[in-house]
Amino acid sequence: MTETLSQTDAATTVTTWLADFESALATGDPDAVTALFAEECYWRDLVAFTWNIVTVEGRDGVRDMLAETLERVRPHAFRIADDLGGATGGDGVVESWIAFDTAVGRCVGLVRLRGGLAWTLLTTMNELIGHEEPLNGRRPKGAEHGAHPDRKTWLEQRRQETEDLGHTTQPHTLVIGGGQGGIALGARLRQLGVPTIVIERSARAGDQWRSRYKSLCLHDPVWYDHLPYLDFPKNWPVFAPKDKIGDWLEMYTKVMELNYWASTEAVRASYDAETHEWTVVVRRDGEEITLRPKELVLATGMSGKANVPVFEGADVFRGDQHHSSRHPGPDAYAGKRAVVIGSNNSAHDICAALWENDVDVTMVQRTSTHIVRSDSLMRIALGGLYSEEAVAAGMTTQKADLTFASLPYRIMHEFQIPVYDEIRKVDADFYARLEAAGFLLDYGDDDSGLFMKYLRRGSGYYIDVGASDLVASGDIKLRSGVEVARLTEDSVVLSTGEELPADLVVYATGFGSMNGWAADLISQEVADEVGKVWGLGSATTKDPGPWEGEQRNMWKPTRQEALWFHGGNLHQSRHYSLYLALQLKARYEGIPTPVYGLPEVHHTS
Amino acid sequence: MTETLSQTDAATTVTTWLADFESALATGDPDAVTALFAEECYWRDLVAFTWNIVTVEGRDGVRDMLAETLERVRPHAFRIADDLGGATGGDGVVESWIAFDTAVGRCVGLVRLRGGLAWTLLTTMNELIGHEEPLNGRRPKGAEHGAHPDRKTWLEQRRQETEDLGHTTQPHTLVIGGGQGGIALGARLRQLGVPTIVIERSARAGDQWRSRYKSLCLHDPVWYDHLPYLDFPKNWPVFAPKDKIGDWLEMYTKVMELNYWASTEAVRASYDAETHEWTVVVRRDGEEITLRPKELVLATGMSGKANVPVFEGADVFRGDQHHSSRHPGPDAYAGKRAVVIGSNNSAHDICAALWENDVDVTMVQRTSTHIVRSDSLMRIALGGLYSEEAVAAGMTTQKADLTFASLPYRIMHEFQIPVYDEIRKVDADFYARLEAAGFLLDYGDDDSGLFMKYLRRGSGYYIDVGASDLVASGDIKLRSGVEVARLTEDSVVLSTGEELPADLVVYATGFGSMNGWAADLISQEVADEVGKVWGLGSATTKDPGPWEGEQRNMWKPTRQEALWFHGGNLHQSRHYSLYLALQLKARYEGIPTPVYGLPEVHHTS
């Protein structure tokens, strides 16, 4: 009864606030609106108001954003979204799912009120009015009933499209990179009717996963990893093995009817600012084809371009040496000696697989690493939104994604720190054993743990699925707090002078910024103009300030017209592909998309 | 408020009945149990009590079934299944979802009470205790955390299994026929850990659909067609084109990790009653391989073996002639003259596609046909269980399937007749136009319409998706109430003496009983012993009595030990594969499966 009353109270509070909010918005006076926000406030907008992905902070931020956007956006019909879960209250915060419309879109969001004023507000465009996806009640009929002379069957139409697109007709959008990001975006654009080609260097969709080290499994659990439109089946493993996820991506690409060009490499690209058109030369099965898309998306992966350090003596080393992304697995190295440079996810996975295959393996840890046990991460950090229990309690992927997106990046670490404090307590013995073995641990510059490291720098951590015990026990040998001085014909020499005999050296040394791809494909000039991709500007290690409020250049307009970056883990590929697809669809349909808040570029890589 | 009270009342009534039922069952006295059933009563059991698919009728039927099964089954813990929808009341009938356990299984069902006594009762086994499927909370972890020397990856394990099974190890179950039926069953057996091979003559899964006439789309809607474990995505067409469903089946087969031998034909099979083992010779890519499964499933399709009539003069006819299942589509026949013998689904689809491609086409209707417009069928007959509206109202596939299964065959026509009365009223103009064109219509011997025809004889109808208008308008020429007398070099001569010039003759003349496959593969003796497959014994056209109460020989034990038939439309392939899989799993695990109610054989084909 208490809960019901409290829900009613929460609903009343939210209904009042929404009515006031709508009235204030209708006046067109930003000051009337900001009066409904708390001093400390955050408004995160995904495309609905800004045709951008932006978080504005404080009343000044809200005022500035509305001054530029309100007249055009014409937001209205604000209401509690009961289908998403309505309003709830507790701990002095009233939280509510909301829905509203703009001049062009149907939108949903989440608002949190403190003392009757907005503390956080998330607004997201969900669909463009008049351009809805053909889902559920709108799904295509398939069979065309009636009699139609010269009827083309589904197969004939697909074949025709496949033959024409890129030859006699041009794609509106070209997506370079056919991993999970390019595939998820391709599926969304297909539903939205935007002519799109996705090109991929590998021979088959899914090869991006298949080609990696053989012991690799997803580190994120199944509930976090669904692609758009088609959930993994209920018998899907919690942590999918790489080849299985590869097969799924291949099947998904086909079932979703993507125009997917495998065995195709992008050679060079240039943009004509007069005609607003790209010229992209691709090599498909050896043949050069010139494409002229209006929009170009680089979905080559935040883990696309390998950082390979150049050590003195690398040219004389007689054994095998390769970057972790090219490591084939342990089979060829049984009985031999391996040195793995690095101490993050790939380094740990590779060391463990080598040890399991009877390889004498040493990990060289140069700087500290954040470790979190997979079980603890699932249970304590992710379980509320992405778990079997969450699903059983009525959590949907959409609600989980939006909840996740509703927490402003500026204060997200405050919610993360207690989570990792708890994990450190629960796993104290585990961490003590690692430290006793000499392993250098950290929990992020501000102890905010794994997810903040991922958002800020995309590196610096290992989700432990077993290798840490091998490090603690000394089965995987460890040299920590050292640098590599040089390689010899048959060894790695450390900065301490110690010489590690080696038949194999693996550089588990991470990946560069995605605008490096733009440098290769387009020009250094464009890469510099666009600037660094990824990171929040948090002024923490490998994420220099100033504060950006959002991830740099991801899923939103860049300083290069018609150039976009898409990627991230499966969760991000799923969720943010929606907003990127809506931005591309609007441009395809000629719907005006004035961008609010295009940021300055502070770093070129 | 009325509804809530009524629900409470309904729940009270059901709770009381279930408690009485459980007490009566516990006494072990069948008479105590039958007192809880109405004079007119039907108990349909899917494997839970009978290790069979059986409907017993009347108190005598209930008494007989319990006398044989009760002691062994030990049913207990009867309760209202609130997760399935609980109890509801109306029109003098209280209906409730129920759950209970037996000595070996977890079961669900549906009971309908009239005057406090059971009128219809459905009991179904849902899972074997201790052999639950690895779904949702039980899903496999995928990654094997920890350090495991000689760890085999998922891919290595799959490859090993693929190399071994059928060579150094034997399948427990061999499924012959890799269409939707074999695939759905294969997926269930995989989840249940029963070593299984599915063999298929075609080169790829899905070719059974791809190879049919090019205009073919499913006549059943998407909500009716889901396979186990993995629903079609929400953008899937209502009526899937044949090539698209083919691609889906191929992908499903791979994702579900079936051991699927394509390009493989069964050559001959024999059963050793001493060793309880089959010897099955198959030809795979030209090579003969001998398999020794314990259980053999014929899933070659109720539409597997073509009925090809032998007309005088067929040998001198110079044009093309083929059975509808081999018809390639209209492309080669533009400007030519075609005669299609038959007037059911395939005949109509083929005639329409020929007409659309500028072929002069005549349909020869020998006997009356039941026609129902697709829109009317979806809206009036199927919509309550299988539609977007039903899904939106909380209907799940499981609940729809069980509701469908809960209506006893003996009285099902009583519920169907009003549906088709309504359709005849709504579509009166449509039917009048057809009759005016000379088309011979029927609605089933007792006016019970399409679904009863499907269950009784699997033929005799067309779901209209456009061809009927062409028949009514005379665009598709019609000759009705006639027989084919003979063929000449370039024509079809009718019993009226009329001669129809023809470049193409299509025999849309249907398919034989599935035990014909057993005759070909095993022996005529076994085929005769097993008897006719399909049909209810309704004593209507093409479904001779006596009354069987269930479909003959489908998904349940036959008179030949360890020989099973599986098939039907996608709905049946999905739903009944569960019960067939549980029967096979129990045998694999050595759980005793005494069969109640193995019927007499009254017809050999």
Side-chain angles (χ1 to χ4, degrees), chain A residues 134-137 139-151 153-156 191 204 210 214-215 217-218 222-223 229-244 247-248 250-252 254-257 331 355-357 374-375 388 464-467 470, chain B residues 134-137 139-151 153-156 191 204 210 214-215 217-218 222-223 229-244 247-248 250-252 254-257 331 355-357 374-375 388 464-467 470:
Chain A
L135 305 179
N136 297 330
R139 64 173 86 220
K141 192 147 182 180
E144 212 180 326
H145 292 178
H148 306 276
D150 304 319
R151 172 202 299 264
T153 67
W154 171 83
L155 184 65
E156 287 168 334
Q191 292 311 308
R204 287 157 64 201
R210 290 191 196 92
K214 75 172 192 175
S215 63
C217 291
L218 295 196
V222 57
W223 311 278
Y229 311 115
L230 183 61
D231 282 0
F232 293 108
K234 52 191 176 175
N235 56 357
W236 197 258
V238 177
F239 302 103
K242 72 179 178 77
D243 295 283
K244 194 164 170 65
D247 287 351
W248 181 264
E250 186 177 13
M251 143 329 260
Y252 181 91
K254 183 151 196 186
V255 164
M256 289 293 158
E257 304 181 18
D331 294 351
W355 177 84
E356 287 180 342
N357 279 264
S374 176
D375 288 349
E388 205 65 48
D464 177 43
V465 291
L470 295 174
Chain B
L135 305 179
N136 298 329
R139 64 173 86 221
K141 192 148 183 181
E144 210 181 328
H145 292 177
H148 307 276
D150 304 318
R151 173 203 299 264
T153 68
W154 170 83
L155 185 64
E156 288 167 334
Q191 293 311 308
R204 288 157 64 201
R210 290 191 197 93
K214 75 172 192 176
S215 63
C217 291
L218 295 196
V222 58
W223 311 278
Y229 311 116
L230 183 62
D231 282 0
F232 293 109
K234 54 191 175 175
N235 56 357
W236 197 259
V238 177
F239 302 103
K242 72 179 177 77
D243 296 283
K244 194 165 170 65
D247 287 352
W248 181 264
E250 186 177 14
M251 151 317 269
Y252 181 90
K254 182 151 197 185
V255 164
M256 289 292 158
E257 303 180 18
D331 293 353
W355 177 85
E356 287 180 344
N357 279 262
S374 176
D375 288 349
E388 205 65 46
D464 177 44
V465 293
L470 295 173

Side-chain angles (χ1 to χ4, degrees), chain A residues 298-450:
Chain A
L298 296 187
T300 35
M302 59 166 292
S303 304
K305 232 187 141 180
N307 277 336
V308 185
V310 183
F311 293 121
E312 186 192 328
D315 52 333
V316 302
F317 180 70
R318 288 209 207 118
D320 287 358
Q321 53 181 323
H322 42 239
H323 187 262
S324 58
S325 58
R326 308 222 163 229
H327 177 64
D331 294 351
Y333 303 106
K336 299 196 169 172
R337 297 155 308 179
V339 174
V340 176
I341 318 288
S343 53
N344 290 341
N345 258 333
S346 296
H348 276 85
D349 276 354
I350 290 169
C351 284
L354 288 167
W355 177 84
E356 287 180 342
N357 279 264
D358 202 24
V359 180
D360 176 291
V361 60
T362 304
M363 177 188 288
V364 176
Q365 182 184 32
R366 299 174 301 169
T367 57
S368 65
T369 306
H370 174 52
I371 308 261
V372 58
R373 293 180 60 243
S374 176
D375 288 349
S376 306
L377 186 70
M378 295 309 125
R379 194 162 43 85
I380 302 172
L382 270 185
L385 294 178
Y386 301 99
S387 66
E388 205 65 48
E389 294 71 32
V391 172
M395 180 57 71
T396 64
T397 306
Q398 183 193 21
K399 283 171 64 175
D401 288 353
L402 289 171
T403 304
F404 215 33
S406 74
L407 225 50
Y409 287 133
R410 176 72 91 175
I411 55 171
M412 191 178 269
H413 63 284
E414 295 172 20
F415 295 83
Q416 294 287 307
I417 290 168
V419 170
Y420 290 87
D421 285 351
E422 169 72 11
I423 288 176
R424 285 159 83 164
K425 203 159 30 173
V426 169
D427 292 329
D429 286 354
F430 168 80
Y431 290 120
R433 280 189 292 126
L434 271 175
E435 288 190 309
F439 196 87
L440 304 175
L441 287 172
D442 72 63
Y443 302 87
D445 288 9
D446 53 0
D447 291 340
S448 59
L450 185 133

Side-chain angles (χ1 to χ4, degrees), chain B residues 380-450:
Chain B
I380 302 171
L382 270 184
L385 294 178
Y386 301 99
S387 67
E388 205 65 46
E389 294 68 34
V391 172
M395 181 56 72
T396 64
T397 306
Q398 184 194 19
K399 282 171 62 175
D401 288 353
L402 289 172
T403 304
F404 215 32
S406 73
L407 224 50
Y409 288 133
R410 175 73 90 174
I411 54 171
M412 191 179 269
H413 63 285
E414 295 173 20
F415 296 83
Q416 295 287 306
I417 290 169
V419 170
Y420 289 87
D421 284 350
E422 169 72 10
I423 288 176
R424 283 160 83 164
K425 203 160 30 175
V426 169
D427 292 328
D429 285 354
F430 167 80
Y431 290 120
R433 279 190 293 126
L434 272 176
E435 288 189 309
F439 196 86
L440 304 175
L441 287 172
D442 73 62
Y443 302 86
D445 288 8
D446 53 359
D447 291 341
S448 59
L450 186 132

